mmCIF file of all heavy atoms in Angstrom:
data_model
loop_
_atom_site.group_PDB
_atom_site.id
_atom_site.type_symbol
_atom_site.label_atom_id
_atom_site.label_comp_id
_atom_site.label_asym_id
_atom_site.label_seq_id
_atom_site.Cartn_x
_atom_site.Cartn_y
_atom_site.Cartn_z
ATOM 1 N N MET X 1 26.756 18.070 -33.461
ATOM 2 C CA MET X 1 26.925 19.387 -34.072
ATOM 3 C C MET X 1 25.610 19.828 -34.703
ATOM 4 O O MET X 1 24.840 19.001 -35.210
ATOM 5 C CB MET X 1 28.023 19.350 -35.130
ATOM 6 C CG MET X 1 29.388 18.943 -34.567
ATOM 7 S SD MET X 1 30.681 18.888 -35.830
ATOM 8 C CE MET X 1 31.071 20.636 -35.939
ATOM 9 N N LEU X 4 22.698 23.745 -40.082
ATOM 10 C CA LEU X 4 22.113 24.966 -40.639
ATOM 11 C C LEU X 4 21.823 24.752 -42.115
ATOM 12 O O LEU X 4 22.700 24.313 -42.866
ATOM 13 C CB LEU X 4 23.080 26.146 -40.468
ATOM 14 C CG LEU X 4 22.770 27.416 -41.275
ATOM 15 C CD1 LEU X 4 21.462 28.057 -40.798
ATOM 16 C CD2 LEU X 4 23.921 28.416 -41.188
ATOM 17 N N LYS X 10 21.533 34.116 -53.659
ATOM 18 C CA LYS X 10 22.331 35.343 -53.689
ATOM 19 C C LYS X 10 23.804 35.020 -53.455
ATOM 20 O O LYS X 10 24.169 34.494 -52.393
ATOM 21 C CB LYS X 10 21.822 36.317 -52.625
ATOM 22 C CG LYS X 10 20.371 36.748 -52.867
ATOM 23 C CD LYS X 10 19.933 37.825 -51.902
ATOM 24 C CE LYS X 10 18.514 38.312 -52.245
ATOM 25 N NZ LYS X 10 18.077 39.428 -51.388
ATOM 26 N N VAL X 13 25.517 36.179 -50.087
ATOM 27 C CA VAL X 13 25.112 35.406 -48.902
ATOM 28 C C VAL X 13 25.780 34.036 -48.923
ATOM 29 O O VAL X 13 26.298 33.558 -47.904
ATOM 30 C CB VAL X 13 23.580 35.261 -48.835
ATOM 31 C CG1 VAL X 13 23.178 34.399 -47.639
ATOM 32 C CG2 VAL X 13 22.917 36.631 -48.741
ATOM 33 N N PRO X 31 27.352 24.335 -43.451
ATOM 34 C CA PRO X 31 25.964 24.585 -43.860
ATOM 35 C C PRO X 31 25.607 23.879 -45.170
ATOM 36 O O PRO X 31 26.423 23.814 -46.091
ATOM 37 C CB PRO X 31 25.918 26.110 -44.028
ATOM 38 C CG PRO X 31 27.045 26.624 -43.203
ATOM 39 C CD PRO X 31 28.111 25.587 -43.281
ATOM 40 N N SER X 43 14.131 19.780 -48.533
ATOM 41 C CA SER X 43 15.263 19.405 -47.689
ATOM 42 C C SER X 43 14.894 19.453 -46.207
ATOM 43 O O SER X 43 15.330 18.605 -45.424
ATOM 44 C CB SER X 43 16.451 20.337 -47.962
ATOM 45 O OG SER X 43 17.548 20.017 -47.134
ATOM 46 N N LYS X 45 12.035 18.807 -44.954
ATOM 47 C CA LYS X 45 11.232 17.619 -44.672
ATOM 48 C C LYS X 45 12.080 16.352 -44.609
ATOM 49 O O LYS X 45 11.850 15.474 -43.789
ATOM 50 C CB LYS X 45 10.147 17.462 -45.734
ATOM 51 C CG LYS X 45 9.080 18.534 -45.710
ATOM 52 C CD LYS X 45 8.036 18.289 -46.800
ATOM 53 C CE LYS X 45 6.957 19.364 -46.779
ATOM 54 N NZ LYS X 45 5.946 19.165 -47.835
ATOM 55 N N ALA X 80 20.386 36.628 -42.658
ATOM 56 C CA ALA X 80 21.062 36.475 -43.948
ATOM 57 C C ALA X 80 22.119 37.559 -44.106
ATOM 58 O O ALA X 80 21.876 38.606 -44.708
ATOM 59 C CB ALA X 80 20.047 36.532 -45.086
ATOM 60 N N GLU X 85 31.350 40.238 -41.441
ATOM 61 C CA GLU X 85 31.367 41.135 -40.277
ATOM 62 C C GLU X 85 30.250 40.744 -39.301
ATOM 63 O O GLU X 85 29.072 40.710 -39.661
ATOM 64 C CB GLU X 85 31.180 42.587 -40.708
ATOM 65 C CG GLU X 85 31.216 43.572 -39.546
ATOM 66 C CD GLU X 85 30.987 45.006 -39.989
ATOM 67 O OE1 GLU X 85 30.854 45.234 -41.213
ATOM 68 O OE2 GLU X 85 30.945 45.885 -39.115
ATOM 69 N N ASN X 102 17.551 22.645 -26.843
ATOM 70 C CA ASN X 102 17.823 21.217 -26.778
ATOM 71 C C ASN X 102 18.281 20.749 -25.407
ATOM 72 O O ASN X 102 18.693 19.594 -25.252
ATOM 73 C CB ASN X 102 18.888 20.850 -27.821
ATOM 74 C CG ASN X 102 18.374 20.997 -29.238
ATOM 75 O OD1 ASN X 102 17.678 20.136 -29.752
ATOM 76 N ND2 ASN X 102 18.715 22.114 -29.885
ATOM 77 N N VAL X 109 8.036 19.094 -18.667
ATOM 78 C CA VAL X 109 7.487 18.790 -19.982
ATOM 79 C C VAL X 109 7.389 20.094 -20.769
ATOM 80 O O VAL X 109 6.516 20.911 -20.523
ATOM 81 C CB VAL X 109 6.103 18.118 -19.867
ATOM 82 C CG1 VAL X 109 5.544 17.814 -21.247
ATOM 83 C CG2 VAL X 109 6.197 16.851 -19.028
ATOM 84 N N CYS X 119 13.041 31.556 -24.792
ATOM 85 C CA CYS X 119 14.208 32.231 -25.381
ATOM 86 C C CYS X 119 13.880 33.679 -25.730
ATOM 87 O O CYS X 119 14.708 34.579 -25.540
ATOM 88 C CB CYS X 119 14.680 31.486 -26.620
ATOM 89 S SG CYS X 119 15.462 29.888 -26.311
ATOM 90 N N MET X 128 16.012 44.866 -22.244
ATOM 91 C CA MET X 128 15.527 45.843 -21.274
ATOM 92 C C MET X 128 16.566 46.153 -20.199
ATOM 93 O O MET X 128 16.557 47.230 -19.605
ATOM 94 C CB MET X 128 14.243 45.319 -20.608
ATOM 95 C CG MET X 128 13.026 45.222 -21.509
ATOM 96 S SD MET X 128 12.441 46.843 -22.098
ATOM 97 C CE MET X 128 13.310 46.937 -23.662
ATOM 98 N N VAL X 132 22.178 44.358 -24.646
ATOM 99 C CA VAL X 132 22.300 44.226 -26.105
ATOM 100 C C VAL X 132 22.930 45.511 -26.618
ATOM 101 O O VAL X 132 22.455 46.607 -26.314
ATOM 102 C CB VAL X 132 20.922 43.991 -26.758
ATOM 103 C CG1 VAL X 132 21.062 43.869 -28.270
ATOM 104 C CG2 VAL X 132 20.267 42.738 -26.177
ATOM 105 N N VAL X 164 7.061 53.538 -2.425
ATOM 106 C CA VAL X 164 8.068 53.557 -1.355
ATOM 107 C C VAL X 164 7.645 52.705 -0.168
ATOM 108 O O VAL X 164 8.454 52.037 0.480
ATOM 109 C CB VAL X 164 8.335 55.012 -0.897
ATOM 110 C CG1 VAL X 164 9.305 55.028 0.275
ATOM 111 C CG2 VAL X 164 8.885 55.828 -2.056
ATOM 112 N N ARG X 177 11.971 36.283 -8.888
ATOM 113 C CA ARG X 177 11.695 37.210 -9.985
ATOM 114 C C ARG X 177 10.957 36.551 -11.140
ATOM 115 O O ARG X 177 10.049 37.138 -11.722
ATOM 116 C CB ARG X 177 13.002 37.818 -10.495
ATOM 117 C CG ARG X 177 13.678 38.787 -9.551
ATOM 118 C CD ARG X 177 14.896 39.413 -10.214
ATOM 119 N NE ARG X 177 15.910 38.420 -10.539
ATOM 120 C CZ ARG X 177 16.135 37.936 -11.759
ATOM 121 N NH1 ARG X 177 15.419 38.367 -12.777
ATOM 122 N NH2 ARG X 177 17.072 37.037 -11.976
ATOM 123 N N ALA X 190 -0.328 40.199 -23.586
ATOM 124 C CA ALA X 190 0.730 40.014 -24.575
ATOM 125 C C ALA X 190 0.555 40.901 -25.802
ATOM 126 O O ALA X 190 1.505 41.111 -26.554
ATOM 127 C CB ALA X 190 0.796 38.551 -25.013
ATOM 128 N N GLY X 194 -2.531 45.429 -32.107
ATOM 129 C CA GLY X 194 -1.503 45.203 -33.105
ATOM 130 C C GLY X 194 -0.086 45.364 -32.603
ATOM 131 O O GLY X 194 0.862 45.355 -33.398
ATOM 132 N N VAL X 201 11.085 41.554 -15.353
ATOM 133 C CA VAL X 201 11.561 41.863 -14.013
ATOM 134 C C VAL X 201 13.062 41.603 -14.023
ATOM 135 O O VAL X 201 13.508 40.466 -14.174
ATOM 136 C CB VAL X 201 10.866 40.990 -12.952
ATOM 137 C CG1 VAL X 201 11.387 41.335 -11.559
ATOM 138 C CG2 VAL X 201 9.353 41.183 -13.006
ATOM 139 N N GLU X 205 15.650 44.001 -9.674
ATOM 140 C CA GLU X 205 14.252 44.154 -9.260
ATOM 141 C C GLU X 205 13.538 45.317 -9.930
ATOM 142 O O GLU X 205 12.400 45.635 -9.593
ATOM 143 C CB GLU X 205 14.127 44.249 -7.729
ATOM 144 C CG GLU X 205 14.637 43.000 -7.025
ATOM 145 C CD GLU X 205 14.503 43.073 -5.515
ATOM 146 O OE1 GLU X 205 14.062 44.133 -5.010
ATOM 147 O OE2 GLU X 205 14.827 42.085 -4.835
ATOM 148 N N ALA X 230 -2.815 54.163 -20.755
ATOM 149 C CA ALA X 230 -4.180 53.768 -20.382
ATOM 150 C C ALA X 230 -4.249 52.277 -20.098
ATOM 151 O O ALA X 230 -4.895 51.838 -19.139
ATOM 152 C CB ALA X 230 -5.150 54.147 -21.497
ATOM 153 N N TYR X 242 -4.987 42.003 -6.732
ATOM 154 C CA TYR X 242 -4.827 40.549 -6.633
ATOM 155 C C TYR X 242 -3.461 40.100 -6.125
ATOM 156 O O TYR X 242 -3.348 39.039 -5.511
ATOM 157 C CB TYR X 242 -5.099 39.902 -7.997
ATOM 158 C CG TYR X 242 -6.551 39.966 -8.391
ATOM 159 C CD1 TYR X 242 -7.014 40.989 -9.211
ATOM 160 C CD2 TYR X 242 -7.467 39.026 -7.932
ATOM 161 C CE1 TYR X 242 -8.344 41.068 -9.579
ATOM 162 C CE2 TYR X 242 -8.799 39.094 -8.288
ATOM 163 C CZ TYR X 242 -9.238 40.121 -9.113
ATOM 164 O OH TYR X 242 -10.573 40.196 -9.455
ATOM 165 N N SER X 248 3.855 52.047 -9.779
ATOM 166 C CA SER X 248 3.650 53.366 -10.371
ATOM 167 C C SER X 248 4.562 53.505 -11.593
ATOM 168 O O SER X 248 5.616 52.865 -11.680
ATOM 169 C CB SER X 248 3.954 54.482 -9.365
ATOM 170 O OG SER X 248 5.310 54.433 -8.955
#
Side-chain angles (χ1 to χ4, degrees):
M1 300 180 80
L4 166 66
K10 298 186 175 184
V13 177
S43 179
K45 292 180 180 179
E85 181 182 357
N102 292 280
V109 180
C119 289
M128 292 295 94
V132 179
V164 176
R177 290 185 297 103
V201 180
E205 299 181 357
Y242 290 96
S248 62

